[in-house]
Amino acid sequence: MKLSRLSRTLLRLALAAGLGVIYVPLLVVLLNSFNADRTFGWPPSGLTLRWWGAAWNSSGVRDALWTSVQAGLGATAIALVLGTMAAFAVQRYRFFGRDVVSLVIILPIALPGIVTGIALNNAFRTVLEPFGVGLGLFTVVVGHATFCVVTVYNNVLARLRRTGAALEEASADLGAGPFTTFRLVTFPMIRSALLAGGLLAFALSFDEIIVTTFTAGAGVRTLPIWIFENLFRPNQAPVVNVVAAALIAASVVPVYLAQRLSSDVGAH
């Protein structure tokens, strides 16, 4: 059904309003990170790089950044491995495996993040602490990976749904086993989807909110936790804005690259 000019105009206005609700607060954070007067006034009375230098010279910020990078890389690696294994299961058990694997992998992300965080925290304390394994960076990585793997798997599953089974069937007819078929036929077709999912997972791993209850118990300070700890300290407010603005800007890169890879996948 063709929309009238008025309907198209209203839709554009609604879209612009929605984007404004999302991006105007982010713009405020970015501009306040250059605010020389250390206030939250609008518009900022002066712009300077002094607080960016202060943020970089803060050992607390650098340590939190390194911890976040380690957690992000670890969670992404786990997510890529599990996403690849899930893709193999889908290819191997084409008739019933897809629904089963999808349910098992997606179920944790469907639960409230705080509930999942409490569950993971309790599981580690109950199962691992008796063996001398305490909460720490490893548990933070596992907590993030629980959510990141869904991002990777959804990307791979979307690619598999756009891929016909003819090549896989031909490979099987030629006597190739399931693993050989996956390695030579399926994996090359999902490689871009895996990489795109990995980039998105890395960006997602910097979002502490979804597993705060779990990661806070680990005693590990990532960048988002550092922001929360210093948010209401008057002398730290400018540096908090700098760190938040840097996270916003840095997140654009993996998300943009993932979008380009996903577009390339869809074009094949």
Side-chain angles (χ1 to χ4, degrees):
M1 183 176 64
K2 189 175 182 180
L3 295 176
S4 65
R5 179 176 298 180
L6 176 61
S7 298
R8 291 197 298 271
T9 301
L10 291 175
L11 284 173
R12 291 192 184 101
L13 289 175
L15 177 60
L19 292 175
V21 169
I22 295 173
Y23 286 103
V24 167
L26 300 181
L27 180 62
V28 172
V29 169
L30 180 62
L31 291 179
N32 273 323
S33 70
F34 294 96
N35 193 348
D37 290 339
R38 300 165 54 178
T39 65
F40 291 92
W42 184 262
S45 56
L47 300 179
T48 177
L49 290 172
R50 61 183 294 191
W51 298 118
W52 285 77
W56 181 250
N57 290 327
S58 168
S59 60
V61 173
R62 292 200 303 271
D63 291 344
L65 172 62
W66 175 232
T67 302
S68 289
V69 170
Q70 291 180 83
L73 292 175
T76 302
I78 293 174
L80 286 172
V81 171
L82 293 180
T84 304
M85 293 171 62
F88 174 72
V90 170
Q91 176 256 327
R92 177 67 177 86
Y93 306 104
R94 179 171 295 275
F95 295 105
F96 63 88
R98 178 175 297 176
D99 294 335
V100 174
V101 172
S102 297
L103 176 64
V104 170
I105 290 181
I106 294 176
L107 183 59
I109 201 67
L111 301 175
I114 190 169
V115 174
T116 305
I118 293 173
L120 287 169
N121 195 306
N122 290 338
F124 268 92
R125 291 185 184 278
T126 303
V127 177
L128 296 181
E129 279 196 347
F131 296 95
V133 181
L135 297 175
L137 180 61
F138 172 72
T139 54
V140 174
V141 170
V142 173
H144 282 303
T146 303
F147 293 86
C148 292
V149 68
V150 181
T151 303
V152 174
Y153 177 67
N154 281 342
N155 252 40
V156 172
L157 190 61
R159 175 57 176 155
L160 288 174
R161 284 173 174 163
R162 293 195 296 266
T163 303
L167 289 176
E168 294 172 356
E169 292 173 355
S171 177
D173 290 341
L174 292 174
F179 179 74
T180 302
T181 299
F182 179 79
R183 181 171 60 88
L184 298 178
V185 179
T186 307
F187 184 77
M189 293 189 293
I190 66 171
R191 189 163 44 202
S192 296
L194 272 172
L195 182 56
L199 288 167
L200 290 173
F202 183 75
L204 176 65
S205 68
F206 283 82
D207 181 3
E208 199 72 37
I209 294 175
I210 54 177
V211 284
T212 294
T213 304
F214 175 57
T215 58
V220 176
R221 180 179 295 175
T222 58
L223 274 181
I225 289 180
W226 184 92
I227 291 174
F228 294 153
E229 289 178 349
N230 293 275
L231 188 59
F232 299 107
R233 297 181 183 178
N235 62 325
Q236 285 291 89
V239 181
V240 168
N241 275 318
V242 168
V243 176
L247 277 177
I248 294 169
S251 297
V252 172
V253 177
V255 172
Y256 174 74
L257 292 176
Q259 181 197 27
R260 291 298 304 267
L261 284 168
S262 297
S263 300
D264 292 342
V265 168
H268 292 336

